[in-house]
Amino acid sequence: MADTRLDEHVPEAEVRSELYDEDGFVAREFRERVETAIAAGDSKMLRGEISPLHESELGDVLEALDKDNRQALVRLLGDAFDYTALTEVDEAIRLSIVDAMPNEQIAAAVRELESDDAVYILEDLEEEDRKEILERLPFRERIRLRRSLEYPEESAGRRMQTEFVAVPPFWTVGQTIDYMREEEDLPESFAQIFVIDPSFKLQGAVDLDRILRAKRPEKIEDIMHETRHAIPAEMDQEEAAQVIEQYDLPSAAVVDSNERLVGVLAIDDVIDIMQQEAEEDIKRLGGVGDEEISDTVLTAARSRFSWLLINLATAILASLVIGLFDATIEQMVALAVLMPIVASMGGNAGTQTMTVTVRALAARDIDFHNAGRVIRRETLVGLLNGLIFAAIIGVVAAFWFDSRGLGTVIAIAMVINMLAAALAGILIPLVLDRLGADPAIASGTFVTTVTDVVGFFAFLGLAAWWFGVE
């Protein structure tokens, strides 16, 4: 590759067209060039390929390489490697790279990162390594990062940037502009200037456009607005993101328990938080916990084991219900053919309702106190779908086994189970949320259990009664 790739003004469209194939994956040709450079130890060629990439694109490249090549790429790039890319890959890949680096190199990398990215990397390290790395940092940076790391995981304090611009209210606009021009230790980008008193308590904020329109002699306190919706550092990151989203804030101040300004959550942080929380909800609905695609076999198996064990127990419960009607099934083999249909339809219907409910709970669109309207709606949806599919399967079963009675039984059982599915799909997540449990984790197993047990019991019980089978 020609050295022109080292020109930082290479058009983004050209870089992207070389990096990704038509399906959006890292192109095989690009990956092979990188692997060739790594195998040859050609750091100059490697820099030519990697330097034009955005941090997120570099993250995609890291995920496309195997473990040894990832570590070699970081080693060969040296100072040219953008460590912000480590925040764009999953935890297993990030740790495999960081674990191969000496703590001195990690400390040097952390010094070049914004505080929120530095915390993102440091929080996954062993306590001893983290302590050693922090000790290698300048005092001011060490205190900032240590304070962020002391906040709970997935809190606003963990995700905030500690770089911000804060001025006293008695400064003039001219002083503030001169300060921003002359001060070197400023964030790379920011949309607001915060106003603080001598004890660092938050007084208000000024948007940059307001600064630019004001006259130099005007005082900051005359043009500032009271800070809207300051975020407590202990607040859960998902709640903080919802506040910023609800009020369309470009950024939000983060304050400690004494209302002192300690950081800021910017819109890019909010996007990352919302994406992370959405991924977590999807994984939890599937019972796979915090599993990543790059995890080892043992890690993946361990993360899935507990919920599979619970599913086994609930499956046994459903089987016990079937066992109550073994004589009925022996006399009417058609029941064994048809009963999975009732349970399966109920399970799918329950999962649909549960998914909508869990998402509504996460978005704070529903809670235990205002759920009446939604419960009524889901009940009517379950009843309507139950009647429609009862008619369909009733006709099919009647013609299939030449028995109107059997068609009537499965139709009634279908209505009962679809209603049970609708109620279970909304009530179970609500109750779990009320009890303080995560409905995304536990709901699926319980909803499936309800629909299986009710479906089998309704169908087999009705059949035994209808046909007079003992």
Side-chain angles (χ1 to χ4, degrees):
M1 179 62 63
D3 288 343
T4 54
R5 284 295 299 268
L6 292 172
D7 182 359
E8 63 181 10
H9 299 296
V10 175
E12 290 183 11
E14 180 182 331
V15 173
R16 186 170 181 85
S17 66
E18 290 188 14
L19 176 60
Y20 296 108
D21 61 22
E22 59 184 10
D23 296 320
F25 297 103
V26 173
R28 184 184 65 180
E29 296 80 5
F30 186 91
R31 187 181 70 250
E32 289 176 348
R33 289 201 304 269
V34 170
E35 290 172 342
T36 299
I38 291 173
D42 189 341
S43 60
K44 182 177 180 181
M45 177 181 175
L46 193 60
R47 291 186 184 203
E49 297 288 352
I50 298 299
S51 294
L53 301 184
H54 183 268
E55 61 203 42
S56 63
E57 296 171 335
L58 179 52
D60 290 338
V61 173
L62 290 172
E63 292 184 335
L65 299 174
D66 61 34
K67 179 179 179 181
D68 293 337
N69 280 330
R70 289 184 202 119
Q71 296 173 356
L73 181 145
V74 176
R75 185 176 63 255
L76 287 170
L77 286 179
D79 294 340
F81 180 76
D82 184 357
Y83 286 92
T84 310
L86 295 183
T87 66
E88 302 290 337
V89 299
D90 68 49
E91 182 180 344
I93 292 177
R94 181 166 59 252
L95 286 177
S96 71
I97 294 173
V98 173
D99 287 345
M101 298 167 56
N103 287 339
E104 183 178 358
Q105 184 180 356
I106 299 174
V110 165
R111 280 198 294 269
E112 303 300 320
L113 298 176
E114 293 186 347
S115 59
D116 56 334
D117 293 331
V119 168
Y120 200 75
I121 292 173
L122 291 173
E123 66 182 355
D124 292 327
L125 301 180
E126 296 291 338
E127 180 65 31
E128 184 177 340
D129 290 330
R130 189 163 58 204
K131 183 177 180 181
E132 181 182 341
I133 292 167
L134 288 172
E135 290 298 328
R136 293 178 179 272
L137 300 178
F139 176 79
R140 188 176 179 182
E141 293 180 32
R142 180 166 69 247
I143 295 301
R144 282 180 176 178
L145 294 177
R146 185 173 290 165
R147 179 174 57 189
S148 294
L149 289 165
E150 287 174 353
Y151 289 112
E153 290 186 22
E154 299 192 351
S155 66
R158 275 287 183 98
R159 296 281 74 89
M160 68 183 181
Q161 297 178 22
T162 55
E163 298 91 356
F164 52 83
V165 181
V167 300
F170 54 81
W171 273 21
T172 64
V173 169
Q175 283 178 288
T176 303
I177 292 174
D178 292 340
Y179 166 73
M180 289 188 289
R181 287 172 175 168
E182 297 169 5
E183 177 62 40
E184 296 182 358
D185 188 23
L186 292 179
E188 289 188 7
S189 62
F190 54 94
Q192 287 183 314
I193 297 173
F194 297 102
V195 184
I196 54 173
D197 67 11
S199 64
F200 246 75
K201 283 190 175 182
L202 187 63
Q203 301 292 301
V206 185
D207 296 331
L208 283 184
D209 60 329
R210 185 75 179 87
I211 289 281
L212 293 175
R213 288 196 296 264
K215 303 294 185 181
R216 287 183 64 88
E218 288 190 68
K219 289 191 175 182
I220 292 296
E221 61 187 352
D222 294 331
I223 63 172
M224 75 177 190
H225 57 74
E226 291 187 7
T227 306
R228 299 185 296 271
H229 311 292
I231 305 293
E234 301 280 345
M235 178 182 284
D236 181 81
Q237 63 177 17
E238 186 174 12
E239 295 181 36
Q242 288 169 346
V243 170
I244 295 174
E245 178 191 27
Q246 179 178 358
Y247 296 102
D248 295 324
L249 304 178
S251 60
V254 180
V255 295
D256 63 14
S257 56
N258 295 314
E259 297 186 358
R260 293 177 300 189
L261 181 64
V262 292
V264 58
L265 276 177
I267 191 64
D268 61 320
D269 301 313
V270 174
I271 294 172
D272 290 340
I273 290 169
M274 295 182 74
Q275 181 178 0
Q276 177 187 341
E277 294 292 339
E279 289 176 355
E280 285 183 2
D281 287 346
I282 292 171
K283 290 176 183 176
R284 287 170 176 174
L285 282 171
V288 295
D290 295 328
E291 180 185 330
E292 300 287 354
I293 196 67
S294 59
D295 284 346
T296 63
V297 172
L298 286 177
T299 301
R302 190 184 307 117
S303 73
R304 302 179 192 183
F305 177 81
S306 58
W307 283 110
L308 287 175
L309 182 62
I310 293 173
N311 280 327
L312 176 61
T314 58
I316 292 173
L317 177 61
S319 297
L320 291 175
V321 173
I322 296 173
L324 296 174
F325 301 95
D326 54 352
T328 306
I329 297 172
E330 286 178 5
Q331 295 183 46
M332 292 191 63
V333 179
L335 299 178
V337 177
L338 294 173
M339 66 182 186
I341 297 175
V342 179
S344 176
M345 288 296 294
N348 288 331
T351 299
Q352 289 176 333
T353 304
M354 178 193 69
T355 302
V356 171
T357 304
V358 169
R359 191 60 208 146
L361 285 168
R364 295 179 175 271
D365 293 331
I366 183 177
D367 61 26
F368 200 82
H369 300 289
N370 65 0
R373 180 183 60 83
V374 182
I375 292 173
R376 288 191 296 273
R377 189 197 72 165
E378 293 300 325
T379 301
L380 291 174
V381 169
L383 177 61
L384 179 59
N385 280 333
L387 290 171
I388 293 171
F389 286 101
I392 294 172
I393 191 60
V395 172
V396 170
F399 278 97
W400 188 358
F401 295 99
D402 193 22
S403 172
R404 292 183 180 180
L406 189 57
T408 302
V409 166
I410 195 171
I412 296 173
M414 182 69 74
V415 173
I416 293 172
N417 205 27
M418 294 288 274
L419 275 172
L423 290 172
I426 189 169
L427 292 178
I428 287 175
L430 283 171
V431 170
L432 290 172
D433 184 65
R434 179 71 171 176
L435 295 175
D438 189 336
I441 297 177
S443 296
T445 299
F446 294 124
V447 170
T448 302
T449 302
V450 169
T451 55
D452 283 350
V453 170
V454 172
F456 291 140
F457 192 86
F459 180 52
L460 297 176
L462 281 169
W465 171 76
W466 189 279
F467 296 103
V469 180
E470 296 296 333

